[in-house]
Amino acid sequence: MTQIHISSQFDSGAIDVVSVADPRDIQVAIRKDNAADFAQWFHFALHGAAHVPVTIRFMNASACAYPSGWEGYQVVASHDRQHWFRIDTQFDGQVMTARLTPETQCVYLAYFEPYSYEQHLDLLGSVSASPHVLQERLGATLDGRDMTLLRITDAAGDTAQALRKKVWLIARQHPGETMAEWFVEGFLERLLDPDDSVSRVLLQRCVFYVVPHMNPDGAVRGNLRTNAVGANLNREWAAPTMERSPEVFLVRQKMRDVGVDLCLDAHGDEGLPYNFVVGSEGNPGYTERQAGLESDFKAAWMASCPDFQDAHNYGRSEPGKANPTLATNWVAQQFGCLALTIEMPFKDNADHPDAVTGWSGERSKKLGASILQPLLAVF
């Protein structure tokens, strides 16, 4: 038998190897973010175990950032990095154990279906070929990567565009929440589909500002929640700096320049096996108008997409108790608009489970495409 080896020196790779001596008891530890104590994301390759039953034990699962996230969770695996499937996984409250029999000499395992930096660049390149898309470089991350904005609307004149609604979609403030960029990909594909009547009307009524990847440094480094210096970007919106959180600083500056009429921030949730949204009702400036728009948006999404629901969520914040450092709270307070955080599961959608894939990149894309329907309803 070929000697078993584990590698993670690739884009978003992250794991610490404890022991690979026995294929029936491979031991690993989930690595913390490079400059913070968040540990939950993992992504690695297992070599040399083709047709050999293997047992992989994640020894520090109970000490991770969200240990309750392992309950009911299944590891994702792929032999070709294109098709991902769930494998047998249990969590006993201390150690998470995953089992599979690889079909090939190299199998990849991850917390969720990855979305690589190369995929991100390919996405930018493909959508920027559309005449409706203008790609803009806002600046650089701390590791020198581009912060890219996509401005999308139809070909009407500047005067008409000035009267249009400004719709923002940002994703992957938390880099390990890869479902968020899959969501954006699905959204962009439908928005730029010339045969889709919903997208055609929206492009006539709105200007879209899309940041597909808020945290490329953290993603490449294999982090769950933070950037290169350990900043949790979704706790930086009250007072970002170019030294600590340029990703937020640059996007917030652009928002102030062009305005915001509606903002969506795509995320993933470790614990809840549902798709849901979080509003800004805890803001001191929350209005009846914002409440009505939120209600209309959720009702329209539920009516058009069974994968979205509003029964299982974080609950409502008390008035005046909102965290002002969160993106959607800051945006809603600053612009008096509807701002929603979209949460998707790392596990599965319990309302519509899929035993093979669980919640997946492809299902995230479909959800992203479905968001156009409630946008049309509120505009």
Side-chain angles (χ1 to χ4, degrees), residues 227-239:
N227 71 356
V229 296
N232 179 348
L233 297 186
N234 205 27
R235 300 297 184 274
E236 294 284 315
W237 283 75

Side-chain angles (χ1 to χ4, degrees), residues 268-284:
D269 182 78
E270 292 80 8
L272 292 175
Y274 301 97
N275 295 295
F276 59 98
V277 295
V278 183
S280 58
E281 69 280 351
N283 276 355

Side-chain angles (χ1 to χ4, degrees), residues 20 35 42 57 140 171 189 192-193 200 204 215 225 229 307 313:
V20 292
F42 59 88
R57 295 202 294 156
E189 284 183 358
L192 297 173
D193 181 354
R200 293 178 70 176
Q204 292 167 3
N215 199 339
R225 285 181 79 82
V229 296
D307 264 332
N313 49 49

Side-chain angles (χ1 to χ4, degrees), residues 77-344:
S78 176
H79 294 100
D80 60 5
R81 302 202 309 157
Q82 302 297 316
H83 305 92
W84 294 80
F85 55 92
R86 300 282 175 160
I87 64 175
D88 178 29
T89 308
Q90 287 89 34
F91 177 57
D92 63 8
Q94 295 295 321
V95 175
M96 182 171 69
T97 302
R99 296 178 175 86
L100 82 159
T101 302
E103 297 176 2
T104 60
Q105 287 288 60
C106 179
V107 62
Y108 288 82
L109 298 97
Y111 185 27
F112 192 82
E113 186 173 347
Y115 199 103
S116 72
Y117 189 63
E118 286 299 312
Q119 282 177 275
H120 165 70
L121 296 179
D122 287 344
L123 176 64
L124 295 178
S126 64
V127 300
S128 294
S130 167
H132 299 310
V133 178
L134 176 65
Q135 180 174 320
E136 179 180 349
R137 183 182 185 273
L138 298 179
T141 66
L142 293 169
D143 283 344
R145 295 186 176 88
D146 299 326
M147 282 299 299
T148 304
L149 171 76
L150 302 172
R151 181 183 182 276
I152 308 169
T153 191
D154 72 4
D158 292 339
T159 302
Q161 290 186 22
L163 301 175
R164 299 179 184 207
K165 298 296 185 183
K166 313 299 191 301
V167 181
W168 282 78
L169 171 60
I170 65 174
R172 288 188 83 179
Q173 290 201 79
H174 297 148
E177 297 168 8
T178 55
M179 63 283 289
E181 195 158 8
W182 286 111
F183 180 98
V184 170
E185 182 176 320
F187 169 84
L188 291 172
E189 284 183 358
R190 185 179 181 191
L191 185 64
L192 297 173
D193 181 354
D195 298 317
D196 192 300
S197 60
V198 175
S199 67
R200 293 178 70 176
V201 170
L202 285 172
L203 289 173
Q204 292 167 3
R205 298 180 182 177
C206 307
V207 181
F208 291 89
Y209 296 89
V210 182
V211 184
H213 201 338
M214 287 287 295
N215 199 339
D217 292 352
V220 172
R221 288 170 177 266
N223 290 349
L224 175 76
R225 285 181 79 82
T226 59
N227 71 356
V229 296
N232 179 348
L233 297 186
N234 205 27
R235 300 297 184 274
E236 294 284 315
W237 283 75
T241 66
M242 286 298 290
E243 293 73 30
R244 175 174 167 82
S245 47
E247 303 92 343
V248 174
F249 185 96
L250 294 165
V251 171
R252 204 180 78 146
Q253 184 179 61
K254 186 68 176 183
M255 286 180 169
R256 281 179 155 162
D257 289 344
V258 303
V260 184
D261 292 304
L262 187 148
C263 179
L264 303 171
D265 181 14
H267 285 260
D269 182 78
E270 292 80 8
L272 292 175
Y274 301 97
N275 295 295
F276 59 98
V277 295
V278 183
S280 58
E281 69 280 351
N283 276 355
Y286 191 67
T287 65
E288 290 186 8
R289 175 181 172 276
Q290 287 171 308
L293 285 170
E294 182 179 329
S295 178
D296 290 347
F297 189 96
K298 291 191 290 187
W301 204 1
M302 283 188 287
S304 61
C305 180
D307 264 332
F308 176 73
Q309 57 81 53
D310 193 38
H312 304 275
N313 49 49
Y314 296 151
R316 294 182 67 80
S317 297
E318 295 180 28
K321 300 290 187 179
N323 183 345
T325 68
L326 273 65
T328 49
N329 285 343
W330 182 85
V331 170
Q333 183 71 20
Q334 181 77 18
F335 297 97
C337 67
L338 175 62
L340 296 171
T341 302
I342 298 168
E343 296 284 359
M344 291 167 279

